[in-house]
Structure formats: C-alpha cells, structure tokens
Amino acid sequence: MRASATMSEPATMIRPDAAVEMVVRAAEPRPARSVPLADAVGLRLAETVTADDDAPPFPRAMMDGYAVRRVDAGRAVRVVGRVPAGHFIDTRVEGGTCLEIMTGAACPPETEAVVPVERTRREDEAVVLPAAIEAAENIAAVGSDCRSGQTILAAGAAITPLAVAAMASFGRTAVRVVPRPTLGIITTGTEVVALDAQPAPGQIRDANGPMLLALATALGLDRPRHFRAGDRVATILAALERVADRDIILLAGGVSVGRYDLVPEALRQYGAETLFHKVRQKPGKPLLAARRGRQLLFGLPGNPLACHLGFQRYVAAAVRAMQAADPTPEGADGMLSSAVATKGGRTHFVLASAEQGERPGAWRVHPMPGASSADVFGTAGANCYLEVPPGREPLPAGSQVAFTWLIGRS
C-alpha cells in the first residue's frame, strides 16, 4: 500500500542556494558496510584505522650498501655476509667487519650505519669505507614511519590509492565504508525514443538518459537502472516501482505545468513529499525535489541543459552528502573574455570554457550561452558553469568571476 498523498507545490520559487541546502539536509549518509580493500577506492571511511604494529617493524636499510660500525670509518673492513631484503641475518656487525645489505633489508645486530655502495671502494673480500660516517646514516629506525596504535586514517577520510597502500601495509583486507548511493533514471515523454530508433515526425532521440548515465559514471556511481516512461501517470508509476529500491531516482521531463507534465502527480501517488518545486534560476526553473523515507527523487526539466544543471548542482550535492563528503563542487576564479548579460529576476547559470592563462591559476573564462536551454551543440565544449546573480548589471569582459567545474570535464 502506498503512503498517503503528501505532495503539494509551494506557492513561491525557492532560491538556488536554499534549494541546495534543502537537498543536502535531506540526503542522509548511507549505512556503513564492510567492503574488500580493493573495492574501497573513491569511498569514505566509516571507521578510524590505526596501526597494529610499528612501521618499519625492524631497523631498515634505506640504501644498497654495507652495514657497518662507525669506528671503522676510513678503514678497509672484511665483508662477512650479505643481507637481501626479506631475510633476517643474525650475524653481528663487529669492528673490522661489515655485511653487504640491500635496500629494505633488516639491519643485522650492532649495525650503526649503512654506507651506500657509491661511497665505498671494493677490494676483493674487503671494502674501504669513507672517512666520515654519521650515526644511523641511511637506517630507518623501528616505528620511524608509524608507531603501533597511531591513527593512520580518520573516519570520514577519502580512500585514495595511497590510503589503500597504508591500510594494506598493516594487513587490512577489508574496511568499513560509507557506500555509494544507488541511482535510478526514468525518461518521460512519448516524443522521446531510444537511440537506435528512427524518430517519427514530432519525435526526438533520448539525449537526457545517456547524459544522466554519463554524469553518474563520472561521479563514480555504479551503473544506474534506466527506464523510459510515456506521458501517462500509470506508466511513470510503474517505472518508479521498478527503481523503488534505489537511493536516488531521477525523472527527466514532465515537471512543468503543461497538460502532459505528469511527474508531480505520479510522485504524489507514489507517496513522495515535496521539498521544493520551481527554483529561481535559468535554465531549469521547474526543477522538483521530493523525498519518500530515505529516498530522494528529482524531477529534472526535459530540456537537456536544464536537466544537466539539475544534476550538476543538486543531484551531485545529494550524492556527495549521502557519501558523507563535502557537497560543495570544485571551483576556481577567472577573468571573463566577453560580456555576460543578466536574466531578470533569476540566477543565471551560464556554461563556459575555462582555459589556463599566462600565469598558473590565472583562468580565462569564455561564456558559451547557447541558443536555448536545449542547445547541447553550441555548449558541448563547456567545462564549467558561471553563476550570474539576479538584479545585476551585465558583467563586462575582464570581470573577475567565480566558476564551478563540470562533472566529467576533460
């Protein structure tokens, strides 16, 4: 049985920043679970990882050379053995003797320094040492990298390949993480046909579905389930039931106020509660966000650029928040190469191409406004978004602007 109808449309549009805040508050981090270490890259730790031993656990040679006593500096000493990495040799280093040793090997007892090969001269079974030898030269002491019990990675830390190496060094084969959210995509509209279909008069191929799949992949999510629904509430509801186990559901198209914009009604019957419907922005004013339990649902406008902005700005923030990550997208500052006009009372998000200037970090930003919110052709080379607040004079060329990098940019 579906939940009672709780969906209603707010009387006024919400500001873009307020919409992001509302999405982030509603996006609960997913329950932690244990995964194999090899599958943990890109996730965040749900536990604190500590060292279960000293690292290194033995005095370790940092160079290929000779394990020596300092009293023998400047002398010829007899080579009495060899210490490969991975072996422990209990032959003591005594005055007048040394052992050949390899990088990473455990230093034998009484070793006071490791002298690199290039600082010595070999003479048959002996080697001539340099005149000066520093104490503990080229020896990594026990625990010099890390002490037993020391925190290696705190809960919430991003798991990078280097983090995997650190955990593997202490024998971790699995780790508790905040898993990636799962995603379902529903493309609405009888005018939208599959990529391999020949559109009839009045029909177009589905661009939003592949774009949303690509955005999800670029965020590191597992491949979403993707279904198409027509312009009937019943078919949209049927598609919703097929992705009902997903953490996030995206519905592309059908969220405005036309006769066939049926997503709001389908979500009402599905039992979703509205967070907001309509955002004071261009493109993508009809954007809708809703919640059913822990599940978040987004009604994305059907125009491709509006759909793209909806994912870039709002869906991505929810994905990051569900992974206990900072929801703020990566951005930078740059200088406009040409003027950008304002768009009345709404915040305008302008696709642009930022390129490196003459100085490191000096970005030159080229606006790419496109012909319309459906123009994916004139904006295909964009790599960032400019945010132009409402009620401002046009931004002239040379203005300093902040921009946000696009998900999946090259």
Side-chain angles (χ1 to χ4, degrees), residues 123-151:
E123 294 181 348
D124 296 327
E125 299 302 318
V127 64
V128 179
L129 302 179
I133 300 175
E134 296 291 332
E137 182 178 346
N138 299 312
I139 297 176
V142 172
S144 57
D145 292 342
C146 180
R147 285 291 184 185
S148 179
Q150 179 178 330
T151 296

Side-chain angles (χ1 to χ4, degrees), residues 252-290:
V255 294
S256 193
V257 293
R259 181 182 296 273
Y260 296 104
D261 290 315
L262 302 175
V263 165
E265 173 60 20
L267 290 178
R268 185 190 70 80
Q269 294 188 31
Y270 182 67
E273 173 192 2
T274 298
L275 298 175
F276 57 81
H277 187 189
K278 295 190 176 71
V279 180
R280 199 177 298 278
Q281 66 183 21
K282 182 178 177 64
K285 181 180 77 171
L287 180 73
L288 182 152

